[in-house]
Amino acid sequence: MAKGSSFVALAVVLVVILAGDGAMASDDPAAPAYKFTTGYYAMSGGDQASASGMDFNLRRNLGEGNVWLAWFRSPGMELRQTRAGWDHSFIVGPLRVQPSLQSASGGFWGGSLGLEVGESWFAGVGLGRTNLRPYVNLNFDPNDAWMASGGYRWHSGRSLAVQVVRDNRQNQDQQHVHLVYRTSLAQGDRLTLDWLDKRGIVDGVSIHRTGLSVAYDWPQVFARLSYDPKVNFTAQDMWRLQIGTRF
């Protein structure tokens, strides 16, 4: 198969699904079928000049998981990439199984598998792998990594969780620790706070930095503002603003 043709085929399939008439929509008829997000990313610091980027992501909720199609462009970094993916969560006995697949122009493929158990108290583990081709990592955690998480969910809609993501392939010094607090508010609104502890080696120097993400969800629209120092374990710091809608 020609280079990149497998991604093109996957993207065509996803475009057909995203543009469909809703016949495969979620089992919950009240749940919005689509989610559209626009992200603005501003980077500065290190020896590189400041740069910015824009990303557009359309996600559709299906009965057999979610599919998404996205496009990123940064003129300052002379970078553009189209990405696509699928993820799902289903029950196997006491386990919640959470697989995902990603592909991107340039020949990138990747995926992850997560397992979670428990209701009020819960714990989970996971593993991610890629083919190491160039990828615009807007997940920001290491992709070739193991993951472990645990926390507590209240009946009121609040939850507190800790997640550790550590590279276990090319850069085994790289580690993210997230402390995530979510709470339901009046009229269906939600607030999410994600505190990030980052440790690793950047340009031969061991770093330890702290980041923060604040997200607010209304019933139909949402916004998220984040600060991520040494983003993707580079010399640059990043501010990012994401806004979107469900429909």
Side-chain angles (χ1 to χ4, degrees), residues 173-175 198-202 205-209 233:
D173 57 276
Q174 296 180 358
Q175 175 179 284
K198 180 194 299 275
R199 299 170 187 261
I201 295 177
V202 176
V205 177
S206 179
I207 61 101
H208 181 198
R209 297 289 188 275
F233 293 93

Side-chain angles (χ1 to χ4, degrees), residues 129-151:
R129 275 293 178 267
T130 76
N131 63 356
L132 301 178
R133 292 289 187 90
Y135 184 58
V136 178
N137 179 18
L138 298 186
N139 176 54
F140 302 105
D141 291 322
N143 285 319
D144 290 275
W146 60 261
M147 296 148 277
S149 61

Side-chain angles (χ1 to χ4, degrees), residues 25-40:
S26 169
D27 294 336
D28 182 1
Y34 293 93
K35 177 181 178 181
F36 179 73
T37 307
T38 300
Y40 176 75

Side-chain angles (χ1 to χ4, degrees), residues 191-194 212-216 223-227 240 242:
L191 174 68
T192 303
L193 304 176
D194 183 348
L212 179 67
S213 175
V214 180
Y216 198 95
R224 181 183 298 108
L225 179 64
S226 306
Y227 172 67
R240 52 186 180 264
Q242 295 165 295

Side-chain angles (χ1 to χ4, degrees), residues 148-203:
S149 61
Y152 187 81
R153 299 185 183 99
W154 288 265
H155 294 297
S156 60
R158 291 182 297 147
S159 66
L160 182 65
V162 176
Q163 182 185 45
V164 180
V165 184
R166 188 175 182 90
D167 191 297
N168 67 346
R169 194 172 184 185
Q170 289 191 308
N171 302 285
Q172 299 186 25
D173 57 276
Q174 296 180 358
Q175 175 179 284
H176 280 180
V177 178
H178 296 269
L179 179 64
V180 183
Y181 175 73
R182 294 185 174 94
T183 185
S184 298
L185 302 172
Q187 300 178 339
D189 296 358
R190 298 190 305 275
L191 174 68
T192 303
L193 304 176
D194 183 348
W195 175 82
L196 168 68
D197 179 273
K198 180 194 299 275
R199 299 170 187 261
I201 295 177
V202 176
D203 295 335

